[in-house]
Every structure is written in C-alpha cells, then in structure tokens.
Amino acid sequence: MNSFKISAPLFLLVVMVLFTTSAFSQNSNFHVYLCFGQSNMEGQGVIEEQDKTVDNRFLMMQSTDCPNLEKTLGSWYPAIPPLSQCYTGLSPADYFGRTMVEKLPDSIKVGVINVSVGGCDIRLFDKDLYLEYDDTYPEAWFTDKVAGYGGNPYQRIIKLAKLAQKDGVIKGILLHQGETNTGDENWPLYVATVYNNMLEDLSLNAADVPLLVGEVVHENQQGKCASMNAIIATVPKVIPTAHVISSDGCSVKSDNVHFNAQGYRELGKRYAIEMLKIVEN
C-alpha cells in the first residue's frame, strides 16, 4: 500500500497559507469596545433626529434578538440607537463611538457591544455570583432584561466579544454602573473581579485594554446617587489601567439619576476623549 508523504517545503507552504488566512480574517483597523453597566449605559435618552444618522465606520453588534429593529443577535449593524436591547434609548456608547471615528484616521472602524441591565448590581456581571443578583428587582421590567441575555449577561458579553475578536481587536472596556451599589465601599473590588475575568476569558492584557469608568449624576446637579462618585474615584487604586470619566456638568433628567440625551452625548464624548489620550500615549 502506497503511503503519501508531504515534503518539508510543501508542509511549510501549507502552514504559511493557513496562518495567513487566519491572521487576515481579523482586521487590526477594526477597534472593538465592550460596554456594560446598568440603566445609564443601557441608554435612557430620547433618540432625536440628529442621532439617527451615523458614519458607516461606526458599528454595533446586536446583543439581543430584536424583531422590532430587524436586528439579530451577534450581527454587526450601523450604530444607530438603540445600541443595547430593543427598546432602550441614547447612551454614552453612542457618542463615544461617533467621537472616536470623527477623531481617528479614516482607515479605522469602531465597533461597540453593549450588554447592560437597568437596575442591576455590579455582581450580576460576576460569573461566579450572578445567580444571587438576577432577581434584584422581582418585577418583569428587570427579570425580562436579564432573560433577554439568556439569564447570564456576563456570558452574553463574553460570547459576543469572542465573535467580535474574529473581526477586529478589542481595545477597551467601558463601564457605567454604581447607582444600585451606592455607598458600598467594596464596589471597586467587585469591578476588579469582573474586569479581570473579562481579560482572562478573552485572552487580553490589561495594558492593552483599559477600563473607562463613568461617574454617576454629579452632586452639582442634585444627583441622588452622587455620593457614589467618591467610591468610583478610588477604582484606579485597585485597577491601575482604569480611568474615571467625569459627569460634572452633564445634563440630567428630572429624576436626578439618569442623564438626558444631551447629557449622554457629552458623557460619551468624554469617554472618547479619554480613550484617545490613552491611544496617543
């Protein structure tokens, strides 16, 4: 019986072709950002006409199936809000991405993945503890959101991030959460656990993937959870690659917990400005 042998040069050529095909399936000029948190990252701003057109270099990966938007889970679309779920509003992620593509070279595309749950405790994103926090509020408005992410928001963002890594490179993680954890001085430690889990599960290095953490509604705008900002300010002491984004002066809704559309636009720009500083360094 004849045996087939492949020569060493031919073997090396096959390996090079396979490696090249694999390497070029990922576009290093496609920068992906993971966004998570509670209602302010979810997006509570009214979507206005100015928000309905977007540069084709800014994309979003759909994080839930949304027949009403004709969008399916795990697919890329132009980043026209809402960027999370099916019936949310404008969020910081919107004008983060818009500002990034405005400032970056034309060769760079930006994509965001937004998995957020209004009202959640940060530990809903702890892969070991999430089942203890998936019913923080027993009402359907909360439980339906969690169910929309398959009952495990953390696993949903990791699954989508792994899909995105086939297309581009994850460059940063954006967090806006804290209202539900107001006053809990262990919050930075909870955040560190989630961030480190994300890095490990996605084979990322902290030095290459900073964490941008937004303040809640500021004291000077009568923010009901404003005392949390003092705790948020300590995150960089626990996570050296974390950066705090000021909410000072970002306009708010009458509930003094959520930003309004203009406030989200400004806050999103601030996330982007900070990220651009990091990129330039």
Side-chain angles (χ1 to χ4, degrees), residues 6-20:
I6 185 170
S7 66
L10 181 58
F11 175 77
L12 289 174
L13 178 61
V14 171
V15 170
M16 289 176 66
V17 169
L18 290 173
F19 174 79
T20 301

Side-chain angles (χ1 to χ4, degrees), residues 73-186:
L73 173 66
S75 297
W76 289 109
Y77 298 94
I80 298 170
L83 301 189
S84 74
Q85 301 176 44
C86 307
Y87 296 97
T88 53
L90 205 66
S91 79
D94 286 280
Y95 279 79
F96 166 77
R98 290 167 190 247
T99 305
M100 293 295 288
V101 295
E102 177 186 336
K103 302 295 184 182
L104 288 169
D106 291 344
S107 58
I108 304 295
K109 294 192 301 180
V110 171
V112 296
I113 301 171
N114 190 345
V115 175
S116 299
V117 180
C120 76
D121 185 294
I122 187 64
R123 287 164 288 188
L124 181 61
F125 289 94
D126 186 319
K127 64 181 182 179
D128 297 318
L129 300 177
Y130 74 98
L131 287 174
E132 299 176 29
Y133 298 93
D134 64 354
D135 59 354
T136 302
Y137 295 94
E139 295 86 359
W141 67 263
F142 181 81
T143 57
D144 286 353
K145 291 176 188 291
V146 177
Y149 292 124
N152 189 340
Y154 176 81
Q155 199 54 49
R156 175 61 56 87
I157 199 168
I158 295 300
K159 180 179 179 179
L160 296 180
K162 287 181 177 179
L163 280 178
Q165 285 179 309
K166 297 178 181 179
D167 302 320
V169 181
I170 295 173
K171 289 287 190 177
I173 300 173
L174 280 59
L175 169 65
H176 198 287
Q177 194 279 337
E179 293 89 349
T180 295
N181 295 88
T182 297
D184 190 340
E185 295 185 356
N186 289 319

Side-chain angles (χ1 to χ4, degrees), residues 190-266:
Y190 304 151
V191 172
T193 296
V194 178
Y195 175 62
N196 289 330
N197 283 342
M198 286 181 169
L199 296 177
E200 181 178 359
D201 290 344
L202 296 171
S203 300
L204 301 171
N205 295 315
D208 302 323
V209 185
L211 176 69
L212 278 59
V213 185
E215 290 183 332
V216 299
V217 173
H218 222 268
E219 184 179 11
N220 63 9
Q221 283 162 294
Q222 294 76 51
K224 290 182 179 178
C225 303
S227 62
M228 187 62 185
N229 286 334
I231 295 174
I232 292 173
T234 68
V235 171
K237 295 179 181 178
V238 179
I239 305 172
T241 50
H243 303 257
V244 176
I245 311 303
S246 172
S247 68
D248 188 3
C250 293
S251 54
V252 302
K253 289 188 170 185
S254 59
D255 63 8
N256 299 108
V257 174
H258 299 104
F259 301 95
N260 61 22
Q262 185 53 40
Y264 286 122
R265 294 185 193 108
E266 177 60 28

Side-chain angles (χ1 to χ4, degrees), residues 19-67:
F19 174 79
T20 301
T21 302
S22 174
F24 279 93
S25 66
Q26 184 186 61
N27 182 359
S28 61
N29 284 337
F30 185 20
H31 297 178
V32 178
Y33 294 88
L34 309 181
C35 307
F36 75 107
Q38 58 181 109
S39 55
N40 272 315
M41 182 58 83
E42 189 180 61
Q44 304 299 314
V46 175
I47 299 168
E48 300 174 359
E49 281 304 313
Q50 63 181 299
D51 309 313
K52 295 179 182 179
T53 57
V54 66
D55 191 301
N56 60 14
R57 291 164 45 226
F58 179 31
L59 304 173
M60 58 86 75
M61 181 180 279
Q62 186 62 32
S63 58
T64 60
D65 281 316
C66 291

